[in-house]
């Protein structure tokens, strides 16, 4: 029965991370179309970086603790990438998204592609959680 609660939490957490990925894509595309300026875009995104990191890392650690190896190994690459990106933020930047650098060297296009990859990754994980939950409930 404990597996059910872990998988329900993972499913709900996955839905939240899917929402955040869509929010990142919408905000970055608004910046690309000049609907918002770089400062407001980056401040909106930087507010969501730490909750996204905490939610995904907590989910990954919980899957490790409860011995869900397959789901843990699916989560690990993205969690490691997010931790690396958070730690590797340069000291002069205001956050992971810096308004001064967002338009330099096609960084905006790269960030949009990164968010699209994260959206696809979270979508695959969401269906993996859903499948695991249904399989656990049926057994």
């Amino acid at each position: 029965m404990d597996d059910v609660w872990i998988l329900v939490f993972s499913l709900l957490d996955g839905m939240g991370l899917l929402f955040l990925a869509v929010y990142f894509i919408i905000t970055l595309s608004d910046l690309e179309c000049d609907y918002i300026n770089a400062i407001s875009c980056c401040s909106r995104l930087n507010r969501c970086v730490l909750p996204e990191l905490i939610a995904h890392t907590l989910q990954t650690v919980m899957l490790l603790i409860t011995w869900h190896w397959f789901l843990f190994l699916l989560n690990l690459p993205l969690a490691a990438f997010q931790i690396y990106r958070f730690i590797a933020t340069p000291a002069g930047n205001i956050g992971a998204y810096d308004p001064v650098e967002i338009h330099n060297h096609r960084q905006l296009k790269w960030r949009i592609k990164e968010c699209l990859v994260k959206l696809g990754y979270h979508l695959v994980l969401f269906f993996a959680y859903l499948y695991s939950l249904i399989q656990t409930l049926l057994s």
Side-chain angles (χ1 to χ4, degrees):
M1 194 63 177
D2 291 337
D3 285 345
V4 172
W5 292 112
I6 295 297
L7 292 172
V8 166
F9 172 76
S10 294
L11 191 67
L12 293 175
D13 195 31
M15 286 180 357
L17 290 170
L18 269 172
F19 170 76
L20 277 175
V22 169
Y23 177 73
F24 275 37
I25 291 169
I26 290 171
T27 307
L28 286 171
S29 64
D30 283 350
L31 176 64
E32 185 180 32
C33 295
D34 287 334
Y35 293 135
I36 58 175
N37 62 15
I39 295 171
S40 64
C41 173
C42 291
S43 68
R44 289 178 189 178
L45 295 177
N46 283 330
R47 273 185 279 173
C48 297
V49 168
L50 190 60
E52 179 187 23
L53 175 68
I54 290 171
H56 194 77
T57 306
L58 177 68
Q59 182 179 27
T60 305
V61 169
M62 283 181 55
L63 290 170
L64 174 65
I65 291 172
T66 58
W67 299 94
H68 288 93
W69 287 106
F70 180 70
L71 294 175
F72 167 72
L73 291 175
L74 280 178
N75 272 301
L76 189 61
L78 185 59
F81 176 72
Q82 287 179 334
I83 291 170
Y84 168 75
R85 284 268 321 275
F86 187 75
I87 291 172
T89 301
N93 290 5
I94 63 169
Y97 295 89
D98 190 43
V100 176
E101 294 181 359
I102 195 78
H103 289 295
N104 291 348
H105 305 291
R106 297 187 178 260
Q107 188 179 24
L108 181 60
K109 292 285 189 190
W110 184 82
R111 295 289 182 143
I112 291 173
K113 287 178 186 175
E114 173 190 353
C115 289
L116 286 171
V117 169
K118 280 203 285 188
L119 177 68
Y121 202 83
H122 287 305
L123 198 61
V124 167
L125 288 175
F126 176 78
F127 284 112
Y129 301 141
L130 188 62
Y131 175 77
S132 297
L133 179 63
I134 291 171
Q135 185 179 19
T136 303
L137 287 173
L138 292 178
S139 64

